[in-house]
Amino acid sequence: MPLINFAAREINYKIVYYGCGLCGKTTNIQFIHRKINPDARGKLVSIATEEERTLYFDFLPLTLGKVKGMQTRFHLYTVPGQSYYNASRKLVLQGVDGIIFVADSQITRLDENVESYLNLWDNLLGQGDDLSKLAFVIQMNKRDLTETFSVEDLNELLNHTDSPVVPASAVTGEGVFETLKIVCKQVIAKTA
Amino acid sequence: MPKRKGLVINDRQLDLCDDLLQKLKEVSGSTFLALISTSGQPITTASDEYHPETLSLASLAASSFAATQQLARILDENEFTLLFHEGRALNLHVTQVTEQVLLIVTFGRETQVGKVRLYTQRAVEVLRQIFEVDEDEETPAMDADFESSAGRAIDDLFQDA
Ligand SMILES: Nc1nc2c(ncn2[C@@H]2O[C@H](COP(=O)(O)OP(=O)(O)O)[C@@H](O)[C@H]2O)c(=O)[nH]1
Ligand SMILES: [Mg+2]
């Protein structure tokens, strides 16, 4: 549900990075913050615990600029991945327009990925969203590591919605903008 | 399947809100006011000299407010309708206007909490009417033109560095 302010000629979309703890959500946002045109980015806000894990969210507003006279913005959020933070995840999901599910490709992280994926759909159904209006992209992260599942296997496991899939390595930035690009275009198409 | 409601603000609503916020600021002696969506996006603000960073403010205030609602639920309270922080030089007051809209008011030592609360409560009743008139309306579609222009802008902005 984008916020469309016809009076102020503004439209804001909310994009959420979802996925288990340590899968690379914050790293995605930090890379975007570092590499994007500084004029297009707002302040990066992080609410973290003492161990520097995300507690509530990271938040980065991006300005696409004027499109057909409308100032168009994407507000990027991450959720905390650890299972005990589900209350915070639900808060961040309120009013979401697009989701990037970040999967950790490492073999040892299989259970965490599946748990997070199921938790996402639970929370979305719980907030009564019309899921056909929601943009959804899956990012297979940490492709630079060796002990990993193949993209095909992960796809079979986690892609029940037949959504676009982007292999990525958030530490090097590979696939980071590609993922964002796809979700942003989908968000606009779904609300058009 | 329930509908995903968008929040659409038209000219008339924004004018009414701006007028009201300006008045509320004057009568209550507050320094800065903002209407934001419960999903964390700013709608409009009123202020003189004090200009906090609105995007961060909206995102943090909305999540704090949502967190207090969850706290209420855990404590078996129906709802906390108000979030209040008292600082040394500045106080922050967040109230719910509608399901999708929150009102942020900051004020300093020049005024009293009671006064701000009283006027804010009155303003919320008026604001509620402004938003409730149109909240059921369909989200007007952004046309195909918007989609293709936005697509080009996205390609430009999110180039791999
Ligand atoms: N090798 C590798 N490490 C990554 C990648 N993405 C994130 N990491 C590391 O994984 C850890 C957790 O990342 P973080 O972004 O904080 O995870 P979050 O909990 O999802 O926000 C950090 O040490 C990152 O450097 C990646 O693509 N490859
Ligand atoms: Mg994180």
Side-chain angles (χ1 to χ4, degrees), chain A residues 1-8 10-14 35-37 40 43 45 47 56-57 59 61-64 67-68 70 72-75 77 91 94-97 128-131 133-134 173 177-178 180-181 184-185 188-189 191-192, chain B residues 1-12 14-15 36-44 53 55-56 58-60 63-64 66-68 70 100 139-147 149-155 157-161:
Chain A
M1 53 176 226
L3 186 143
I4 308 177
N5 194 335
F6 276 113
E10 281 179 6
I11 179 161
N12 290 335
Y13 299 97
K14 182 168 180 177
K35 294 292 178 172
I36 202 161
N37 176 357
K43 223 171 134 170
V45 174
I47 309 189
Y56 252 166
F57 55 75
F59 169 66
L62 299 178
T63 305
L64 186 61
V67 178
K68 296 274 148 199
M70 297 289 280
T72 306
R73 289 204 197 93
F74 297 103
H75 290 181
Y77 284 82
L91 305 185
Q94 286 184 13
V96 65
D97 296 302
D129 268 356
D130 174 356
L131 300 179
K133 291 272 188 210
L134 195 68
F177 277 109
E178 184 60 23
L180 183 61
K181 218 186 267 187
C184 289
K185 285 185 181 179
I188 287 172
T191 50
Chain B
M1 183 66 85
K3 276 188 67 140
R4 286 166 52 74
K5 265 199 290 178
L7 179 56
V8 179
I9 320 282
N10 60 37
D11 287 317
R12 193 188 58 84
L14 193 68
D15 285 347
I36 66 171
S37 73
T38 45
S39 61
Q41 294 154 341
I43 297 168
T44 190
E53 207 264 289
L55 290 179
S56 307
S59 135
L60 290 167
S63 50
S64 279
T68 59
Q70 295 299 318
Q100 299 194 331
T139 305
M142 305 301 294
D143 59 11
D145 245 17
F146 179 81
E147 191 182 333
S149 300
R152 281 192 297 277
I154 288 169
D155 285 334
L157 182 61
F158 301 153
Q159 288 172 49
D160 268 313

Side-chain angles (χ1 to χ4, degrees), chain B residues 77-98:
Chain B
E77 165 57 55
N78 266 346
E79 53 183 344
F80 291 140
T81 49
L82 176 80
L83 173 69
F84 183 62
H85 289 298
E86 191 173 345
R88 237 179 301 168
L90 185 123
N91 303 300
L92 171 74
H93 188 285
V94 185
T95 354
Q96 183 133 31
V97 177
T98 69

Side-chain angles (χ1 to χ4, degrees), chain A residues 19-25 53 80-84 89 101-117 140-143 145 147-149 154 157-158:
Chain A
C20 63
L22 302 181
C23 67
K25 300 174 294 292
R53 309 284 296 271
Q82 297 76 359
S83 43
Y84 44 89
R89 275 195 294 279
F101 183 82
V102 181
D104 190 324
S105 301
Q106 295 179 95
I107 289 172
T108 52
R109 303 293 285 166
L110 176 62
D111 290 349
E112 286 85 350
N113 285 323
V114 172
E115 189 193 325
S116 175
Y117 185 76
M140 309 292 191
N141 192 30
K142 308 202 183 177
R143 298 312 304 170
L145 297 178
E147 304 277 297
T148 53
F149 282 110
L154 280 173
L157 260 167
L158 297 174

Side-chain angles (χ1 to χ4, degrees), chain B residues 11 18 26 29 33 35 39 48-49 52 58 66 77 82 86 94 109 114 126 136 141 150 153 159:
Chain B
D11 287 317
D18 282 339
E26 284 157 20
L33 297 93
L35 280 171
S39 61
D48 293 330
E49 308 96 59
E77 165 57 55
L82 176 80
E86 191 173 345
V94 185
R109 298 194 162 276
V126 181
D136 293 331
Q159 288 172 49

Side-chain angles (χ1 to χ4, degrees), chain A residues 20-27 30 46-48 52-55 57-58 78-82:
Chain A
C20 63
L22 302 181
C23 67
K25 300 174 294 292
T26 301
T27 310
Q30 286 170 341
S46 291
I47 309 189
E52 302 215 358
R53 309 284 296 271
T54 312
L55 171 62
F57 55 75
D58 308 294
T78 71
V79 294
Q82 297 76 359

